Amino acid sequence: MCRFLLILGYCLIAPLAAADESAQPGAAAATTEWPDLKAANFIDERIFARLRELSMVPSRLADDAAFLRRLSLTTVGQLPDAAEVRSFVADRDPDKRTRKIDELLSHKLHAALWATRFSEMTGNRLQGLEGPDELKPKRAKMWHDWLRKRFEQKMPYDEIVRGILTATSRAGADIEHWIDEEASLVNAARSGFDARYRDRAGLDLFWRRDLVDDKYPTEQFAERIASSFMGIRINCARCHNHPFDHWTQQDYRQFVSVFGQVRFDMSSELHARVADRIEQRRRRAAQGEAVGTALPRLREVYVGDPLPSAPAAALLAPKALGGPELAATVAADASLASGARDLRVALMDWLNDPENPYFARNAVNRVWAHHFGRGLVEPLDGFSAANPPSHPGLLDELAADFVDHGYDFQRLERLILNSATWQLSSEPNDVNRADRSYFSRAYVRIPPAETVIDMWRAATGIALDFGDGVPKGIRAVEIGSSRLGDKRWDGILDLFGRSARTQTCDCGQSNSPSIRQTLALMSDANLLRDLSQGELAGLLGSGLGSEQLLDELFLRTLSRLPTDDERSAAMQAVSAAVDQRGVFEDVLWGLVNSQEFITNH
């Protein structure tokens, strides 16, 4: 099979080892002339002005096929199908790119993709979820569903974050009603995956963590919130003043103290009501009455006095990182202990202030990084005076626009995707080949692990089964759990850099190419079996001619038609072969082992 990689012009040795412009067919353009590019919005104005200052010439715009492939992988985590590629390339409407952007931003898998990304950010980790073990995959799905619904509804970003940071289990509900609802939720989860958790006001699952070293993981919450929603990595300051930033141990402890009131157990009110119900059941049972299903173990997230095990931070005034001391804020929530005030509400109010220096800039940077492959600030939680943005003016302007338009997440994406900057080709020219920071071309990268699996499904046509831990018939990008019941796909997800979701900083995921990835694609027995047991047999029996079949395979994998040289080489091999199925399996093997297939470019 190796000969088909060589025939089609792809590198056989370590094809993923350098996921950059060399992955693409054709040589770098020999030019120093500025291409015919028109600024679509202020993103282009800022980027192009900086490139001119650096005398760096940007690449040309990507062609329609490359644009569609990149857009599909980035917005919905899927390859476009063959018919979609043909239709888009043939369309002569000058506004077709804008229309396709709008279409995919409204696709159901777009919300699923962002729910998966936010599950990583917020630590939706199977092993750390509330038990029992058989319910952990269901709770992971509930977490993902809650996030997905909000992206489907186009809820403003600040409202999504508020629903996470200030969540309590009861959210003001009457305790008797909540007990009935919670018991129903648990019982529904035991029998299936549709537990309706998505309709709750807050994501209390974020706070429903079991003890770590016999104490509630308050420090971990503080570190994760600082990283995910402020772009600040404060882990070092847990033990000593930060060596590369201005954060001190006192800053750390004051921030941790904001969350010292959060409890996850049986509040005194819940304990009393559950005890009453148990006694009532006992009495009815003694009288021979039917008592129905027993109550499951119930615990809740609520706000009360600081934990007895809280560190010395409890003695320090609660304070936002880089912000003010936080006054206690009254929250109209029946689940708050008598006289308690939720400091998280005060923190969220400060974050949501239009003048906040972190909240909007962090969000914009993360969305930018998702679509471009790197942020304006790297690492994503590396905001500090010692690590300035590559384009500070652009970051500030994007953040201001984001706030001015009500934290409209999709508007921000639409602004980015419609820019000429995002639509540039990944093929370099003589001037910008070494660029890794100024966005003079698209940066070639390995897609997220879930997307790699969905790309494989599209290329081979196999049916995906992820085991008992997730619902049947879903795409990989829809998986909420951090682990699966199927060891095969768990292994592939790990191989391609799935986040372990164990770190409280932005350092738990790697999309770096590796030789192990290359060897798996080339020789893994299960993946090789997929090539022969997928839809190829059906295509061979569908009446398509050899050239039509070749076109179909190219469109399914590379989202383009073969070049004249590729077509000629492949047809020579097909005409000389006795076993037509074998030769087309070889062609498909060659395509999925190319850098052009396994990268987003």
Side-chain angles (χ1 to χ4, degrees):
M1 286 190 270
C2 298
R3 64 186 182 276
F4 287 98
L5 285 176
L6 301 176
I7 287 171
L8 297 175
Y10 299 117
C11 175
L12 176 61
I13 300 174
L16 304 185
D20 59 15
E21 65 277 357
S22 63
Q24 309 312 313
T31 181
T32 56
E33 295 182 4
W34 194 276
D36 183 17
L37 295 174
K38 295 181 180 179
N41 50 45
F42 66 82
I43 291 175
D44 296 330
E45 293 170 0
R46 292 277 189 176
I47 294 292
F48 293 168
R50 185 65 181 278
L51 292 177
R52 291 186 186 279
E53 289 175 0
L54 298 169
S55 298
M56 185 179 293
V57 177
S59 295
R60 58 177 175 77
L61 287 179
D63 63 32
D64 285 341
F67 164 85
L68 177 63
R69 188 180 198 272
R70 188 193 308 163
L71 179 68
S72 298
L73 290 176
T74 306
T75 55
V76 296
Q78 312 293 306
L79 286 171
D81 62 35
E84 188 178 5
V85 178
R86 291 180 187 275
S87 174
F88 187 78
V89 171
D91 190 348
R92 293 293 174 259
D93 185 345
D95 295 326
K96 67 179 181 180
R97 294 194 177 193
T98 296
R99 285 192 293 104
K100 180 58 71 172
I101 289 168
D102 291 343
E103 175 188 328
L104 291 182
L105 289 181
S106 298
H107 194 286
K108 65 177 184 178
L109 290 181
H110 178 254
L113 180 145
W114 276 112
T116 300
R117 298 284 79 82
F118 269 63
S119 287
E120 295 165 358
M121 285 170 52
T122 53
N124 182 2
R125 179 173 173 264
L126 193 70
Q127 295 90 328
L129 291 174
E130 176 189 5
D133 286 346
E134 65 268 20
L135 290 185
K136 289 185 177 183
K138 311 297 180 66
R139 297 192 196 279
K141 175 69 163 47
M142 294 177 200
W143 190 320
H144 191 273
D145 285 348
W146 188 93
L147 291 165
R148 183 172 182 173
K149 178 179 179 179
R150 278 135 190 86
F151 283 107
E152 286 174 345
Q153 294 178 330
K154 300 178 175 57
M155 181 178 284
Y157 171 77
D158 62 323
E159 292 184 25
I160 297 175
V161 178
R162 185 177 290 273
I164 298 170
L165 294 195
T166 67
T168 58
S169 293
R170 279 191 263 153
D174 171 75
I175 190 167
E176 296 290 353
H177 173 76
W178 179 80
I179 290 173
D180 291 336
E181 184 183 66
E182 187 71 6
S184 175
L185 184 90
V186 171
N187 291 330
R190 287 192 171 119
S191 60
F193 284 92
D194 189 14
R196 306 302 300 175
Y197 180 87
R198 66 179 71 89
D199 298 329
R200 295 197 168 186
L203 183 67
D204 74 319
L205 283 169
F206 176 78
W207 302 94
R208 296 175 77 100
R209 313 289 177 113
D210 287 331
L211 300 183
V212 177
D213 297 329
D214 295 324
K215 66 176 184 177
Y216 194 58
T218 311
E219 289 91 348
Q220 293 186 19
F221 284 121
E223 291 168 6
R224 187 177 294 280
I225 288 166
S227 172
S228 298
F229 302 118
M230 299 176 68
I232 301 173
R233 188 179 301 185
I234 59 169
N235 307 47
C236 290
R238 181 188 290 204
C239 302
H240 50 75
N241 292 343
H242 201 298
F244 308 116
D245 210 341
H246 64 272
W247 307 115
T248 66
Q249 281 187 282
Q250 179 167 328
D251 292 327
Y252 180 94
R253 293 299 170 193
Q254 287 187 281
F255 188 60
V256 169
S257 71
V258 175
F259 311 103
Q261 301 170 294
V262 182
R263 305 291 297 273
F264 173 46
D265 54 33
M266 290 189 75
S267 66
S268 57
E269 185 180 12
L270 177 60
H271 190 279
R273 297 301 177 91
V274 169
D276 286 345
R277 290 199 177 201
I278 292 173
E279 177 60 21
Q280 292 172 14
R281 285 173 55 85
R282 187 191 65 77
R283 291 175 180 173
R284 289 199 302 270
Q287 296 172 2
E289 298 179 20
V291 295
T293 305
L295 277 178
R297 181 191 184 194
L298 297 179
R299 292 185 288 174
E300 64 172 325
V301 175
Y302 64 100
V303 174
D305 295 327
L307 288 167
S309 59
L315 304 177
L316 298 172
K319 186 175 184 291
L321 282 174
E325 291 186 4
L326 298 176
T329 301
V330 177
D333 188 338
S335 67
L336 297 182
S338 178
R341 302 292 183 265
D342 193 344
L343 291 169
R344 300 174 304 163
V345 175
L347 174 65
M348 188 64 221
D349 290 343
W350 174 73
L351 289 174
N352 202 37
D353 188 295
E355 300 302 317
N356 186 282
Y358 305 111
F359 185 63
R361 295 169 85 239
N362 167 71
V364 164
N365 190 54
R366 288 181 179 274
V367 176
W368 182 279
H370 172 77
H371 288 295
F372 280 96
R374 65 170 290 113
L376 296 167
V377 173
E378 284 284 341
L380 300 186
D381 56 358
F383 278 78
S384 73
N387 185 38
S390 61
H391 298 74
L394 174 58
L395 180 61
D396 289 342
E397 194 167 356
L398 282 167
D401 184 86
F402 189 44
V403 173
D404 289 345
H405 289 88
Y407 298 94
D408 187 334
F409 204 85
Q410 285 200 6
R411 184 186 185 281
L412 172 61
E413 290 189 277
R414 193 172 289 108
L415 194 67
I416 291 171
L417 296 171
N418 276 292
S419 70
T421 302
W422 187 82
Q423 296 183 25
L424 293 175
S425 171
S426 61
E427 294 182 19
N429 54 48
D430 288 343
V431 180
N432 69 2
R433 178 181 291 277
D435 173 30
R436 297 293 185 274
S437 303
Y438 298 105
F439 307 100
S440 64
R441 57 183 174 83
Y443 300 132
V444 181
R445 59 196 188 273
I446 304 293
E450 300 85 4
T451 296
V452 169
I453 290 181
D454 284 336
M455 291 167 66
W456 186 259
R457 178 206 58 79
T460 62
I462 61 165
L464 295 175
D465 184 350
F466 299 115
D468 296 333
V470 298
K472 304 298 181 185
I474 67 171
R475 304 286 175 90
V477 76
E478 297 177 273
I479 296 172
S481 178
S482 62
R483 306 303 300 179
L484 305 177
D486 184 279
K487 291 183 179 179
R488 175 197 176 185
W489 294 118
D490 250 342
I492 296 297
L493 287 168
D494 286 341
L495 180 63
F496 281 91
R498 171 179 56 183
S499 171
R501 305 182 185 178
T502 57
Q503 304 287 342
T504 56
C505 57
D506 199 70
C507 43
Q509 183 176 16
S510 172
N511 291 96
S512 300
S514 72
I515 294 296
R516 289 183 62 238
Q517 295 168 351
T518 300
L519 294 176
L521 290 173
M522 290 174 62
S523 58
D524 180 86
N526 288 319
L527 297 180
L528 291 177
R529 193 177 304 116
D530 291 341
L531 299 180
S532 59
Q533 294 183 355
E535 293 181 351
L536 181 58
L539 291 173
L540 286 165
S542 65
L544 291 176
S546 294
E547 292 204 32
Q548 291 174 307
L549 181 54
L550 182 69
D551 289 349
E552 180 72 18
L553 295 182
F554 265 79
L555 289 168
R556 283 176 173 232
T557 54
L558 308 187
S559 306
R560 65 171 177 84
L561 292 171
T563 65
D564 291 342
D565 289 344
E566 291 166 340
R567 186 183 300 279
S568 175
M571 286 301 99
Q572 287 180 28
V574 169
S575 62
V578 176
D579 178 12
Q580 292 291 295
R581 175 166 179 162
V583 76
F584 275 108
E585 282 184 15
D586 285 357
V587 169
L588 181 56
W589 180 89
L591 290 170
V592 298
N593 275 281
S594 66
Q595 289 187 19
E596 190 176 353
F597 170 72
I598 203 60
T599 57
N600 185 352
H601 48 80

